Structures are given as C-alpha cells and as structure tokens.
Amino acid sequence: MAASLLNKALKPIKHPNFLSALRSLNFSSIATAHGNPFDGPSSSSFTFDNANNNKEKDDNSIYIKPPTSNASTERTTSVTMPMSFMTGSIVGKRFYEKVTTRESDDGVGWTVMLDYRTLKTPSKRPLKLPTLALAKAIAAEWEYQQTDGIRPFTMPLMKLACTALERVPLTRTKIIEHLMKKFDQDLVFCRAPEDNTLTAGVHARQVEKVDPLLSWLNSEFGFQPIVYSSFFGGKQGEGLSKAVENLLKKTDNCELAAIDALAAAAHSLVIALGIFRGKLQIEEAIELIRLEEDLQVDKWGLVEGGHDVDIADLKVQISSATVFLGLSRKNFFH
C-alpha cells in the first residue's frame, strides 16, 4: 500500500537518482495504518532525557525517562524528539523496532508510531500530518535508520514537517517578509551582460532557459518582471511584488515551509513558485539554479569533493522539499 501511494506521488517527478534513492528505503516493510498496538492500561508519555548523569554511559545514547508519580492519563505513550533533532547531529541509538502509521485520535490527520509510541515534535506537539502519503514517507525515513544512531540529515521530510508544524505558525509573517525582502535580488532577475566576451555565453544561455520562466511569471501574475544586468538586481514593480506576497499569504503551513526551503536552496523565490505552481520539475529547477556554474564546469572541469558535493546537496534539498510539497497536498493524487 505504501509503495503504491509513493509511486503515484513520485510519478510526475523526473529525477531518476532521487526516485531510486527513495524507493530503496523498502517502503513495503512499513505496515499500513491501524490502531494503536499498545493495548495495556493508560500510561503517560515518554520524553527523551539528554542529561547524562552517569558518566560511564555513551554520550550519544538516548535515555527514555519514565513518567513522574504525577502521571497523566494519556491513553498512548509518545516519543518527543529533542531540539538537537533540528540541528543535524546524531541524536542517539535506534530504540524502536517497528514503524507504523495510524489515523490521529481526532480523525484529522495521520501520525507515525515507533513501536507503541506516538511520535511528537521537539516542542512536544503531536506530529499530525495532513495526508497518509506524507506519514508513510516520514515513517520510511524512520524505518531506514540504522541501529547505531538516528541521523536527522537522512530525514529531510521529517525536518520539513517539524518546520511546518512548529516554526511556520509562529513566524509566518516574518518568513513572508524575508522572502519578499530577497525577491528583488532574485536569481532569475540578474542577467549577464551581452556585450562582454566573457559573459556572452552566459547571457545566451539565460535567454534560452530563464526567459520562458519570466514569461510564465508575467502570465501567472499579470505583471512583466524587470531584468537587470547588475549583480545586485533591482527593484521590481509594486504590482508584481504585491501579487507574489498575496500568494504567499494564502499558502498553508506545509506549502510555506516547502516554498521557504526551495527559495533558500535555489536563491530564487521565482523558481520556488515555479515548482509550487507545477511550472518546473525538479531537474528543470536544478538546471536553472546551476546554469552559470555548469557553464564554468563545462569550460574548466569539475572539482571532485567540491562541485559534486554541492550538486548532490542541492539535489537533496530541492527534491525533498518538492516531494514534501506534493505529499502534503490532500488532492495530490487526483
């Protein structure tokens, strides 16, 4: 069931390497949604104890601290991820055997279960996901973790989900303000000089690859974007800026988290919106982002341990945010 859902979700995504990496996670090993397997009496939640009171213990271990005598009456136990989960460091050894998904208690959304524990965000909010497909994908990330440690840098969907549930609701206005502040210096508005022999090739490539995106931007929002030859860009028209800002204000938390992640990786809100609106596929977006650098690589060669690492990192960031965006939409499969 999980494999079928994810295959449908990933069908329109045209990046073969990313798809093969996702499908290698053995989605078929994840159980389908069902009720809480913990049939025992009511018990309070478990939380992680990062304090290492015993110096002889492994510093990387996660210790599950039992509830105090003042136990709550929650019917299910839970696992709350420590704040270090958001930083990329290893947070501890794998402490669970089976990963499953189930519908949330209120019937609105889906949760991930680690054995009989319900997964929670770093601030102890329920990890309530909008679709079963996204819950299955995040469950796959947890299933993929090795016994010697939980590695957040291999769990981009989980990190985006925590961002959407934790950060976006509290800082939505600031996120939109930051995106709009960078809009005038967007990557696609900066054009290499045409009359310079060193940049003429870059200019021609930009006309070929970027101009169709600018034409789409004009038709999508009804305002012609302004292109500048300055490295620092220039001021866009008030009409276009206002139209883009209004679109951002109408997004839900998952959509805004994905757009913010895409814009940060691409140095371009326009490219992020192109993916958001379905104008750009993953490979097309990466080609636009790396247009100038790829021309330099073609001319001077690829630096191993430099360019290849940057390319791999960019592919992960763009692909994971795009997949998260698609899987979070309830009408995605229609």
Side-chain angles (χ1 to χ4, degrees):
M1 176 66 176
S4 176
L5 284 171
L6 285 167
N7 284 334
K8 290 180 181 179
L10 300 175
K11 187 176 181 180
I13 298 173
K14 300 179 180 179
H15 195 282
N17 294 335
F18 182 76
L19 299 186
S20 61
L22 268 183
R23 288 178 178 134
S24 69
L25 301 186
N26 191 19
F27 294 117
S28 60
S29 66
I30 304 171
T32 56
H34 56 73
N36 183 8
F38 183 72
D39 296 322
S42 300
S43 60
S44 57
S45 64
F46 288 81
T47 56
F48 285 107
D49 183 6
N50 287 327
N52 190 356
N53 296 325
N54 188 343
K55 294 183 179 180
E56 295 180 358
K57 294 181 180 179
D58 184 1
D59 290 337
N60 290 327
S61 300
I62 293 179
Y63 305 101
I64 296 182
K65 183 172 59 177
T68 61
S69 58
N70 217 0
S72 88
T73 58
E74 287 183 306
R75 301 189 67 83
T76 61
T77 58
S78 63
V79 175
T80 302
M81 295 310 300
M83 288 305 296
S84 59
F85 180 87
M86 303 297 286
T87 67
S89 58
I90 297 178
V91 298
K93 295 181 178 180
R94 176 167 173 160
F95 56 90
Y96 55 91
E97 294 183 1
K98 188 177 181 180
V99 185
T100 57
T101 58
R102 71 178 181 89
E103 194 171 10
S104 59
D105 293 336
D106 59 5
V108 181
W110 299 83
T111 59
V112 177
M113 304 289 295
L114 306 181
D115 293 332
Y116 57 85
R117 306 177 182 92
T118 303
L119 191 59
K120 290 188 176 182
T121 64
S123 65
K124 301 184 180 181
R125 294 173 179 266
L127 188 73
K128 187 186 294 186
L129 303 162
T131 66
L132 176 59
L134 181 57
K136 292 288 185 183
I138 291 176
E141 290 184 330
W142 284 94
E143 182 70 25
Y144 187 70
Q145 298 305 302
Q146 303 300 306
T147 56
D148 65 330
I150 296 174
R151 293 167 171 80
F153 51 84
T154 65
M155 307 172 75
L157 299 180
M158 176 66 184
K159 294 179 72 174
L160 281 166
C162 289
T163 299
L165 293 171
E166 304 253 285
R167 175 174 169 243
V168 175
L170 299 177
T171 61
R172 166 175 281 272
T173 301
K174 290 184 178 179
I175 292 172
I176 294 175
E177 287 178 353
H178 176 74
L179 289 171
M180 294 309 303
K181 184 178 180 180
K182 300 293 184 180
F183 181 62
D184 290 331
Q185 287 77 43
D186 197 288
L187 174 69
V188 301
F189 298 147
C190 299
R191 185 62 53 89
E194 183 181 10
D195 56 356
N196 189 309
T197 56
L198 294 176
T199 60
V202 176
H203 178 89
R205 193 68 178 272
Q206 288 174 329
V207 170
E208 176 190 357
K209 297 294 184 179
V210 179
D211 278 8
L213 183 62
L214 297 179
S215 297
W216 167 82
L217 191 67
N218 183 17
S219 62
E220 187 79 3
F221 295 100
F223 298 95
Q224 180 66 43
I226 304 172
V227 177
Y228 295 89
S229 59
S230 168
F231 177 78
F232 300 100
K235 189 73 174 176
Q236 291 296 315
E238 184 178 351
L240 179 59
S241 297
K242 195 66 178 177
V244 170
E245 184 177 4
N246 288 337
L247 173 63
L248 295 176
K249 290 179 178 178
K250 294 177 182 177
T251 58
D252 61 35
N253 292 336
C254 287
E255 289 173 337
L256 187 57
I259 291 172
D260 187 41
L262 288 167
H267 303 288
S268 170
L269 177 56
V270 176
I271 291 176
L273 293 178
I275 294 174
F276 173 68
R277 288 293 205 184
K279 168 64 178 176
L280 295 174
Q281 296 291 332
I282 292 173
E283 286 186 336
E284 295 171 327
I286 292 173
E287 183 181 12
L288 289 176
I289 297 165
R290 290 192 49 82
L291 188 147
E292 295 181 40
E293 190 167 359
D294 282 344
L295 287 175
Q296 293 295 322
V297 170
D298 290 342
K299 184 175 182 179
W300 303 106
L302 183 141
V303 178
E304 293 186 4
H307 292 133
D308 51 350
V309 173
D310 291 342
I311 293 170
D313 182 58
L314 179 63
K315 287 180 177 179
V316 170
Q317 292 185 60
I318 298 297
S319 300
S320 59
T322 303
V323 171
F324 177 83
L325 178 63
L327 295 180
S328 67
R329 290 171 167 169
K330 295 180 181 179
N331 61 345
F332 182 75
F333 297 107
H334 300 292

